[in-house]
Amino acid sequence: RDEASTAGAIALQPVLYCSDGCGAGGQGHAGAVPSVGASEQLNNAERHDVDLGRLNTFGVPARAVRLFDLRDTAGFELLAAAVKESTRVLVLGSGSNVLFARDFGGLVVRCRFKEIKVSSLGGGKVEVAAGAGLSWDWIVRYCVQRGWSGLENLSLIPGSVGAAPIQNIGAYGVELSSCFSWLEALDLQSGELHRMGPGECCFSYRDSRFKSDWRDRFLVVRVAFHLGGQSPATDYPSLQEELSRAGVTRPTAHSIRQAVIAIRQRRLPDPARVGNAGSFFKNPVVDAERLSMLRKEWPELPAFETGDGYYRVAAGWLVESCGWKGIQRGSVGVSENHSLVLINCGNARGHEILALATEIEVSVKERFNLRLEREVRVID
Ligand code: FAD
Ligand code: EPU
């Protein structure tokens, strides 16, 4: 359905409004889309000197000079004016993949669109277009409940629909790009709305064009997926184990969702209880030659083929081998269940988490001569 892509500006399509409590609050980790409190009721609300503490899942304190919540298309002009007045702009979703190392001296923009439009593609397949402000896990559950397969492996990932394409979210053998159709994004410089297909988004492992030259230039307002008809993706080792433990012989979207939720609840800390942003680092990608050199010294080093002759080395193993798993340093630490997850043990400041991340990076570089790339976006 790439024919819908266009480099030019487009008009908004009419949508069906979803009325059964989707979006803020949601379910799963931290309610996924934190509430903004009293001004939640206001349309296209702009606020000044805003506390970001509840708007990031690390739960670190930070303030922003201004925050603009875009709730409908009527807010486009107001938002454009606010952007023009600001020297720095930061696009924020639910704050589950950011670390505020200090206050943000500019305008924070969030899209709170919460509508859903479903179109039949024939043959039991559908296209679901969802507002950027919906909770990601809410839309996954909505689709799985209706038997529209494709998103189930991505169950319980915290965050908003609008942020999902930014790093091409992935889990348990599936990436968003496998069922992505298009997105609509507001160009914050020109005020124009664009529709973009997969080619323009340049998806790869935990990456897209929105993480480089399009960062903070485009506000994603709507994302569309093509669902139904996919065969279940059950190759990921821990997912296979979980399904056989549960006695599932013919996996469905529903049983895969249940299995993924069970693994995640065991392995990853719930940000509602322990501040964190999931994996702080990406898995380094190496070629076959580099992998065999590493394995001469560390034969047990886990690595997974990416399919194009490269291998993804398990960063969790690298970090654990350096002795970081489960450590606590004052108010910051590393999860005892997963060594890629840095945690706020209570009252941590962003710069303390950043200092720990830097120490971990240095130790992995010294021991393995591998550079850990951050997945979490550090705002400093
Ligand atoms: P934010 O953290 O607010 O923003 C992330 C980035 O997206 C920022 O660069 C921001 O500028 C940009 N952005 C946000 N919204 C928009 C928008 N509307 N338009 C343009 N840019 C925008 N990720 C995975 O891929 N797989 C996992 O398995 C996974 N597990 C996690 C587990 C836990 C416990 C946690 C806390 C995080 C996990 N994550 C995982 C990371 C995170 O959930 C995802 O990256 C998620 O998509 C971030 O959504 P968000 O709304 O919180 O975005
Ligand atoms: N491992 C360890 N120690 C650890 C953690 C992992 O040795 O503490 C090794 C084990 O060998 C394990 C392997 O790493 O078999 C893979 O572990 P896991 O299945 O947890 O996957 P991961 O590569 O560590 C990635 C994503 C997660 C995603 C899971 C499931 C990255 C950076 N992280 O973790 O995403 O949920 O796979 O697909 O790619 C996130 O992005 O925030 C995130 C949580």
Side-chain angles (χ1 to χ4, degrees):
R1 297 184 55 82
D2 236 344
E3 77 277 12
S5 301
T6 159
I10 55 154
L12 271 178
Q13 301 295 313
V15 290
L16 299 172
Y17 280 85
C18 172
S19 58
D20 50 354
C22 50
Q27 64 140 37
H29 291 292
V33 183
S35 160
V36 291
S39 57
E40 186 73 36
Q41 304 307 319
L42 302 177
N43 275 347
N44 302 309
E46 190 187 345
R47 292 183 289 146
H48 293 257
D49 189 23
V50 180
D51 179 5
L52 300 172
R54 290 201 304 133
L55 305 188
N56 74 92
T57 61
F58 262 125
V60 295
R63 301 196 80 79
V65 174
R66 295 163 86 183
L67 180 139
F68 191 103
D69 273 334
L70 181 72
R71 292 178 192 282
D72 53 46
T73 52
F76 282 5
E77 273 181 35
L78 284 171
L79 175 56
V83 168
K84 256 196 194 107
E85 286 165 14
S86 306
T87 45
R88 284 182 77 192
V89 174
L90 168 69
V91 177
L92 191 65
S94 314
S96 66
N97 214 23
V98 295
L99 173 63
F100 288 101
R102 58 166 73 191
D103 291 340
F104 181 70
L107 171 71
V108 172
V109 178
R110 299 192 301 174
C111 177
R112 314 291 280 170
F113 287 14
K114 290 181 180 168
E115 73 289 339
I116 296 179
K117 186 190 177 197
V118 180
S119 323
S120 170
L121 299 176
K125 298 180 185 173
V126 290
E127 180 182 89
V128 177
L134 285 164
S135 143
W136 173 257
D137 192 56
W138 190 93
I139 197 75
V140 175
R141 188 181 53 164
Y142 178 92
C143 295
V144 168
Q145 277 173 350
R146 285 155 183 79
W148 303 329
S149 58
L151 301 179
E152 54 278 3
N153 296 55
L154 305 176
S155 289
L156 216 61
I157 296 180
S160 58
V161 165
I166 307 306
Q167 70 159 2
N168 180 26
I169 55 168
Y172 304 97
V174 169
E175 289 182 340
L176 175 87
S177 53
S178 67
C179 46
F180 173 89
S181 295
W182 50 263
L183 59 76
E184 285 170 1
L186 183 68
D187 183 339
L188 294 173
Q189 284 169 15
S190 69
E192 288 177 338
L193 194 65
H194 293 260
R195 184 173 284 202
M196 296 159 186
E200 288 144 296
C201 297
C202 306
F203 293 124
S204 61
Y205 166 61
R206 295 293 192 277
D207 206 11
S208 77
R209 194 162 173 194
F210 297 96
K211 288 182 89 171
S212 52
D213 57 324
W214 283 353
R215 168 163 279 173
D216 297 323
R217 173 167 163 198
F218 286 99
L219 175 69
V220 174
V221 299
R222 186 168 295 125
V223 185
F225 320 97
H226 50 87
L227 303 173
Q230 285 96 336
S231 37
T234 55
D235 286 349
Y236 199 85
S238 56
L239 178 56
Q240 261 176 15
E241 281 162 31
E242 186 63 34
L243 287 167
S244 53
R245 196 189 344 239
V248 175
T249 49
R250 297 179 62 187
T252 60
H254 176 74
S255 58
I256 291 174
R257 173 168 167 81
Q258 293 313 115
V260 166
I261 288 175
I263 305 169
R264 296 186 72 99
Q265 286 179 335
R266 263 200 316 270
R267 295 214 70 199
L268 296 166
D270 180 351
R273 295 197 193 91
V274 179
N276 78 92
S279 298
F280 200 92
F281 307 104
K282 295 187 191 180
N283 290 321
V285 177
V286 299
D287 60 20
E289 195 187 334
R290 186 80 195 277
L291 180 64
S292 79
M293 277 171 63
L294 284 161
R295 279 199 169 144
K296 273 188 192 133
E297 201 165 346
W298 294 282
E300 70 283 26
L301 173 66
F304 306 90
E305 257 193 282
T306 58
D308 52 4
Y310 288 85
Y311 295 83
R312 220 169 271 155
V313 173
W317 187 91
L318 302 173
V319 174
E320 184 172 343
S321 305
C322 290
W324 292 106
K325 195 167 185 171
I327 66 107
Q328 186 176 343
R329 291 264 188 82
S331 50
V332 300
V334 176
S335 164
E336 56 189 14
N337 292 328
H338 204 297
S339 57
L340 289 185
V341 183
L342 307 195
I343 53 174
N344 177 353
C345 308
N347 302 319
R349 317 276 310 186
H351 67 83
E352 294 169 320
I353 294 172
L354 183 58
L356 176 63
T358 308
E359 264 194 77
I360 293 172
E361 286 158 11
V362 169
S363 70
V364 168
K365 175 83 178 129
E366 278 173 359
R367 192 171 164 87
F368 300 102
N369 195 26
L370 281 172
R371 195 177 74 81
L372 285 184
E373 198 183 324
R374 291 173 191 160
E375 177 186 309
V376 169
R377 177 174 180 190
V378 177
I379 314 293
D380 57 6

